[in-house]
Amino acid sequence: MRRTDITGDDGVWTGVSVEVRSPGRPGLCLFAAERRLLLTQESRPVLLAEVDADHCGVEFRRTDAYRSVVPPLRADTARNLAGRPDRWAHRLLPYLLDTPGGPLHEGRWLLSAESPLLRGKEGSGPWGEYLDSLLVEGHPDGYVDWFVHNGSREVLPLRPMPAADDGRVKAYRKQAREGTLPPVLLWWVSGLDCSLILDGHARLAAAIAESVAPSMLQLIRTAPEDEVAEGTERAVRGYEEELAHFAELRAHHGASIPDGAALAGPPLARRLRDLDTGRRPTWAWPLEGGAAEWRAPADQVAREATDGSRPAG
């Protein structure tokens, strides 16, 4: 496993890139069969989803089987790391890597503080109302609406959101007022075109109750190493060709023509950064047995919801 901190043009930390070399399926694994998706955690069904035939949204059924990949966070840790998303990212990464029920598999990933959910807030009223509008409602059944909420700006909790007077939420509301609330950990899943909450359901509920901007760390899959290498070579070649063009102009028109570095340099830097941070579709493994295999856990979940039973563990 190799980590690399990513900074923006202004030098401010924006995320940490990690290269995982761990072949095989992850513990939190997405399977696909035709228009159907099944998310399991260590073989337990967590979420079943079916994309509309007209691709306007996704119907889902959520179970109560999901278990957070992060253990409870201590208040003193929250105070020590307050305002430092970079330190939080490095603190949480080991849980994503080492927890058996985590989503990481072989490839390159980015844990980013630049969530599009936060960027979409401008002109949207109070934070509490805005954040609440992002949440996908419904338990156990619900609907991810791609027609109304486009651009990956919905959040799907993997378990029911706790109420504002829940004991955990009350504790986090105090941290929200103090500015020490730990970040909400999200995972963007392309097949759902929304972000799943891996950890921080109660923290997000606290931010909504107190109407404050939460810190968010969003996990995405990025370009594989060979794609980055090829893209880097292409970008550098384009940069060199641009400088060669300016050199020809200077040879004909004199030193009044710039050397081109100031014009070609920033686009090169952006292309290289985009190669490191641009998100790629989420991997899904083929569901053996296809749609029929998907229906078996779907029917089981439906029976459990009807008779009140729950899976063991």
Side-chain angles (χ1 to χ4, degrees):
M1 186 271 290
R2 184 175 64 190
R3 305 185 196 183
T4 305
D5 285 307
I6 305 296
T7 58
D9 292 335
D10 54 4
V12 175
W13 184 92
T14 60
V16 57
S17 175
V18 56
E19 186 175 339
V20 179
R21 299 190 183 277
S22 178
R25 296 173 181 170
L28 188 61
C29 189
L30 190 67
F31 294 92
E34 301 172 15
R35 292 182 291 106
R36 296 169 176 84
L37 298 171
L38 170 64
L39 181 66
T40 66
Q41 188 176 40
E42 298 185 275
S43 77
R44 300 186 306 271
V46 169
L47 184 76
L48 297 111
E50 184 173 5
V51 178
D52 288 344
D54 58 6
H55 296 91
C56 284
V58 184
E59 295 182 5
F60 70 85
R61 178 174 286 269
R62 182 174 55 192
T63 75
D64 289 327
Y66 178 70
R67 299 295 178 264
S68 175
V69 297
V70 179
L73 301 172
R74 295 172 56 89
D76 57 348
T77 301
R79 287 191 293 271
N80 291 336
L81 302 185
R84 294 294 305 272
D86 55 337
R87 294 181 63 189
W88 270 119
H90 286 282
R91 174 92 179 192
L92 297 178
L93 256 181
Y95 298 120
L96 290 169
L97 290 162
D98 300 334
T99 302
L104 296 187
H105 55 74
E106 187 168 18
R108 295 178 65 255
W109 299 79
L110 177 70
L111 190 55
S112 174
E114 292 193 328
S115 171
L117 300 170
L118 298 180
R119 293 199 301 269
K121 161 65 174 62
E122 297 178 7
S124 299
W127 271 106
E129 294 179 8
Y130 172 72
L131 294 170
D132 191 57
S133 72
L134 299 179
L135 291 175
V136 179
E137 298 179 351
H139 185 74
D141 300 300
Y143 186 72
V144 181
D145 195 327
W146 291 346
F147 185 78
V148 174
H149 289 269
N150 56 58
S152 302
R153 288 190 177 153
E154 283 191 290
V155 177
L156 177 57
L158 284 177
R159 54 175 175 249
M161 291 291 290
D165 59 355
D166 178 271
R168 296 166 301 158
V169 177
K170 286 182 178 179
Y172 282 130
R173 290 181 68 170
K174 182 175 184 294
Q175 292 183 345
R177 293 191 295 270
E178 295 172 345
T180 62
L181 189 65
V184 178
L185 183 59
L186 304 171
W187 174 31
W188 180 71
V189 175
S190 60
L192 298 169
D193 196 27
C194 69
S195 296
L196 305 182
I197 302 178
L198 294 177
D199 186 69
H201 293 75
R203 297 194 293 278
L204 183 55
I208 293 173
E210 294 297 325
S211 197
V212 299
S215 173
M216 289 184 174
L217 289 172
Q218 183 155 297
L219 181 69
I220 60 172
R221 193 179 75 85
T222 56
E225 192 173 16
D226 57 347
E227 184 178 330
V228 173
E230 181 182 347
T232 298
E233 182 180 348
R234 189 165 53 248
V236 171
R237 186 167 59 246
Y239 172 76
E240 292 173 343
E241 291 172 354
E242 189 76 2
L243 292 188
H245 175 66
F246 274 94
E248 291 178 4
L249 292 175
R250 284 171 66 88
H252 283 87
H253 302 287
S256 61
I257 301 297
D259 63 9
L263 294 174
L268 173 64
R270 284 194 296 271
R271 291 190 189 102
L272 295 179
R273 188 173 61 252
D274 288 345
L275 285 169
D276 272 332
T277 62
R279 68 186 183 186
R280 294 296 184 272
T282 310
W283 275 7
W285 275 256
L287 184 61
E288 296 181 8
E293 188 69 19
W294 180 88
R295 291 191 187 94
D299 293 342
Q300 178 65 27
V301 170
R303 286 194 297 271
E304 290 166 355
T306 300
D307 62 22
S309 63
R310 289 291 180 265

